[in-house]
Amino acid sequence: MHPDLGGCWKTEGCPWQYGVDLVGDHSTANPNPTPMDCIGHGTHVSGIIMASGTQVRGVAPKATMGMYRVFPCSDSEGGANSDDSVIIKAMELALKDGMDVVSMSLGTTGEWAESRSAVAAANLVAKGVIVVAASGNDGESGLLTSNSPAIGKGVISVGSVNNWSYKAPYIEVNSPSAGTLRVLKVYNPTDLNNFVFEAPIPLVVSNDVAGSNEGCNPPSTDISGKIALVKRGTCTFGIKAAIAQEAGAEGLLVYDFKAGAPETPSFGNNTIPATMISLTDGNMLAALAAKETLTLTSTNDKFATFEMEDGGRVTGFSSYGPTPELDLGVDISAPGGSIWSTYLRNNGSYASMSGTSMAAPYVAGAVALIKQANPGLLPDQVRNILSATAKPVADPQTGLKYTPFQSGSGLINIYDAAKSRATIDPPTLALNDTVFGPFTGVIHRLAGDNVRWASRTLKIKNTDTTRGMWVSMNHTAADSVTMFNRNGTLVDAAYGTSDETIPTWPANTKPVAGNTLPKVTSLDSNQYIGPGLTGLVTVFITAPSGLDEADRWFYGGFLNFTMRWDGESTQSSYVVPY
């Protein structure tokens, strides 16, 4: 066992008191005596929840833990899969053992809330267990990619936000003009073909006869015995690696086609050492290589911490809703991009990994702290409080907030959730059924006689039994997104091989017409709610009439509530995404 995770199993004083191996390393017929991890994923997730060491400290380091192993060791293609029956068995055992919180960093896209794993997770919630699950890593394929069991009723579905820094091994590039440069590389400790070159080796851009440097065709550049630098796009990572290997390259360096931290690629069964770097670093190296000779060295035992240019943003791979039932699909976001945590001891003991798999345990640890502070809270109350106290995430590309279909209510705020004195129900608004026509029940009209609109009523409870609460509300529009062309076909970006992104409105930070954004009005959003009492707020939400419905835009935003209690000058902020 990893020393930062207690180094023990079911002994007195050990944090690990529950759990079982349900799958074995390679066969469910041969489970191990303990649910020992062999691929690193479970070790990394566990560290985020409860590690207590000098390198890693988890969100809830004093939590009592259970581990129910549902994934065997990696298969021949480097992946690991499990069956719903095994996952459901693990949920049943967690319930039997009295777990307060269940965290699942797994899932399948393309399923409904009636899928087996989603129903099982919802049943756990109904029995009083708080269930947290990763929303999925299919965001680059656009909308409708939220995973099951995260979309189960009452399950807390978690999206990913990029870390503000990234700790990882680096590549040293020697440039005659720029000197020695450190370049962050993606590091997969279990990759048998790790990108390690202890002696200097030439680095060149691999161009084909058409002048493309994407590495999808045989190169016209001599890359034999060298490191080939190519850009992500057009073809798969496996194809790029196979072509470079066939041309005699000693290694492959792929740089991203979008800004931000590079993601962990899969290079298939090719034996050539390969890794990925950021767009910024790739552009820099390509420009230098065009005018001078570069060499590099690379090891896995020298680490550095790099500031991330996209820190705090919603991670591109984080899956989007809506669900097939048109619920948002994501409840909340947490740090999941470039997370440093515990890892297999025979593979370095620590590693940076990315995924909603890393965001979900962060929220699970937060839930444990909130339950510790408020033991009587029920699962729906915890979910509501987490959602209401989160902070919407700004999208620097548009000047608005990221769509709730990808970010949920925003970035988790553990302190505000633990200290919350109000609840809002429902925690999110799904505008499945809208009306086209004049407003009814409102004394004025916002956008003429015929608009597309919906009304929803929220229950706001003041859980402080000694002080009254003043409530006010305003509204913030979020990005509108689509993945369809006007003829109903998917845009190219939905297939994940293009450097395009899912179409978003606004397209940039320039001012846009007000009728291209949703609007919200309410006649009772400013009110006083007495101690321990509940108030009702009805909102009227109008769709952006300035966007063409043929483009199938999914719009949204945030209802921002400000609460102030009697005798206090400070205010607390709450949010409801729609």
Side-chain angles (χ1 to χ4, degrees):
M1 288 288 290
H2 199 293
D4 287 6
L5 303 180
C8 56
W9 180 251
K10 293 186 178 181
T11 56
E12 184 177 353
C14 179
W16 299 95
Q17 291 296 324
Y18 305 94
V20 65
D21 182 1
L22 296 174
V23 291
D25 289 348
H26 302 289
S27 170
T28 55
N30 297 296
N32 295 317
T34 63
M36 188 65 71
D37 181 20
C38 58
I39 57 177
H41 187 267
T43 304
H44 199 272
V45 164
S46 299
I48 294 169
I49 297 175
M50 51 71 66
S52 183
T54 57
Q55 284 272 3
V56 178
R57 189 164 182 84
V59 179
K62 299 298 182 181
T64 299
M65 301 291 294
M67 173 68 77
Y68 304 86
R69 184 184 177 199
V70 299
F71 288 112
C73 298
S74 301
D75 57 26
S76 60
E77 295 183 356
N81 296 286
S82 188
D83 188 79
D84 273 351
S85 62
V86 177
I87 295 169
I88 292 170
K89 178 65 174 178
M91 291 190 225
E92 292 172 342
L93 291 173
L95 175 65
K96 181 180 179 181
D97 288 341
M99 293 292 114
D100 297 301
V101 186
V102 168
S103 180
M104 291 188 283
S105 291
L106 50 80
T108 303
T109 191
E111 295 193 345
W112 292 63
E114 291 77 23
S115 70
R116 291 172 295 181
S117 64
V119 170
N123 289 342
L124 278 189
V125 175
K127 291 182 178 294
V129 181
I130 302 167
V131 181
V132 181
S135 69
N137 302 329
D138 301 297
E140 291 182 351
S141 295
L143 301 169
L144 303 167
T145 54
S146 291
N147 283 195
S148 174
I151 60 174
K153 185 177 181 181
V155 176
I156 301 173
S157 176
V158 185
S160 172
V161 168
N162 288 325
N163 200 354
W164 289 261
S165 62
Y166 188 5
K167 187 173 184 178
Y170 54 87
I171 299 168
E172 281 194 348
V173 179
N174 185 266
S175 160
S177 63
T180 301
L181 305 169
R182 285 186 177 182
V183 174
L184 168 70
K185 69 174 180 177
V186 170
Y187 172 51
N188 180 2
T190 61
D191 188 351
L192 298 178
N193 301 312
N194 256 314
F195 195 84
V196 173
F197 296 91
E198 296 185 357
I201 186 169
L203 171 67
V204 296
V205 177
S206 178
N207 292 311
D208 63 20
V209 292
S212 171
N213 69 338
E214 292 183 330
C216 298
N217 296 302
S220 59
T221 310
D222 179 14
I223 62 174
S224 180
K226 304 169 186 175
I227 305 298
L229 177 67
V230 302
K231 189 175 183 179
R232 180 182 179 184
T234 304
C235 61
T236 67
F237 294 112
I239 291 175
K240 295 177 190 292
I243 290 174
Q245 185 169 314
E246 179 68 21
E250 290 294 319
L252 177 68
L253 198 58
V254 182
Y255 66 99
D256 212 342
F257 54 38
K258 64 184 188 310
E263 299 163 18
T264 303
S266 174
F267 292 100
N269 294 322
N270 298 288
T271 58
I272 186 174
T275 190
M276 193 168 177
I277 61 176
S278 71
L279 173 63
T280 299
D281 288 338
N283 284 336
M284 173 189 66
L285 294 182
L288 289 172
K291 63 181 183 181
E292 60 190 34
T293 301
L294 304 180
T295 60
L296 67 76
T297 57
S298 177
T299 66
N300 287 337
D301 56 3
K302 294 180 180 179
F303 290 82
T305 300
F306 297 80
E307 183 178 342
M308 299 309 299
E309 59 188 89
D310 57 352
R313 302 182 192 179
V314 173
T315 315
F317 60 68
S318 194
S319 285
Y320 289 82
T323 70
E325 290 92 346
L326 297 183
D327 291 324
L328 287 184
V330 184
D331 292 307
I332 197 168
S333 296
S338 307
I339 305 302
W340 180 254
S341 186
T342 47
Y343 204 74
L344 300 178
R345 295 180 68 189
N346 60 347
N347 288 106
S349 294
Y350 304 96
S352 286
M353 296 180 69
S354 297
T356 53
S357 283
M358 285 66 244
Y362 189 100
V363 172
V367 168
L369 298 180
I370 293 166
K371 281 285 288 183
Q372 183 183 35
N374 306 277
L377 291 177
L378 299 174
D380 280 350
Q381 293 173 315
V382 172
R383 180 169 173 257
N384 289 11
I385 289 171
L386 279 174
S387 180
T389 55
K391 310 305 175 189
V393 183
D395 182 355
Q397 302 299 317
T398 67
L400 300 183
K401 304 296 184 183
Y402 283 99
T403 173
F405 288 111
Q406 190 182 28
S407 67
S409 56
L411 182 62
I412 186 173
N413 188 303
I414 301 175
Y415 181 84
D416 284 359
K419 295 296 184 180
S420 175
R421 288 184 285 169
T423 60
I424 305 177
D425 189 51
T428 62
L429 298 178
L431 307 181
N432 299 17
D433 300 313
T434 55
V435 177
F436 186 75
F439 275 94
T440 57
V442 190
I443 60 174
H444 63 284
R445 297 170 182 172
L446 287 181
D449 290 334
N450 291 303
V451 291
R452 189 171 296 283
W453 62 278
S455 66
R456 297 290 186 270
T457 298
L458 299 159
K459 296 179 180 179
I460 302 179
K461 183 175 182 179
N462 178 8
T463 58
D464 191 323
T465 58
T466 63
R467 297 173 184 261
M469 179 178 74
W470 295 92
V471 179
S472 63
M473 186 201 81
N474 60 44
H475 165 251
T476 303
D479 297 341
S480 293
V481 291
T482 187
M483 61 185 295
F484 297 100
N485 297 306
R486 291 195 173 190
N487 63 3
T489 60
L490 292 173
V491 298
D492 289 343
Y495 296 101
T497 58
S498 169
D499 58 358
E500 298 177 6
T501 57
I502 300 302
T504 301
W505 182 264
N508 50 49
T509 57
K510 295 180 180 179
V512 297
N515 68 350
T516 64
L517 304 176
K519 293 183 173 64
V520 174
T521 189
S522 175
L523 302 181
D524 47 20
S525 60
N526 295 290
Q527 58 179 277
Y528 180 80
I529 302 175
L533 300 181
T534 299
L536 301 178
V537 173
T538 299
V539 295
F540 295 82
I541 303 172
T542 58
S545 59
L547 295 181
D548 194 329
E549 291 194 357
D551 291 331
R552 298 171 175 84
W553 290 101
F554 284 73
Y555 62 91
F558 300 89
L559 309 179
N560 307 303
F561 291 89
T562 299
M563 320 295 201
R564 182 179 60 80
W565 280 263
D566 286 339
E568 299 179 7
S569 59
T570 56
Q571 300 176 333
S572 297
S573 61
Y574 292 76
V575 66
V576 175
Y578 68 86

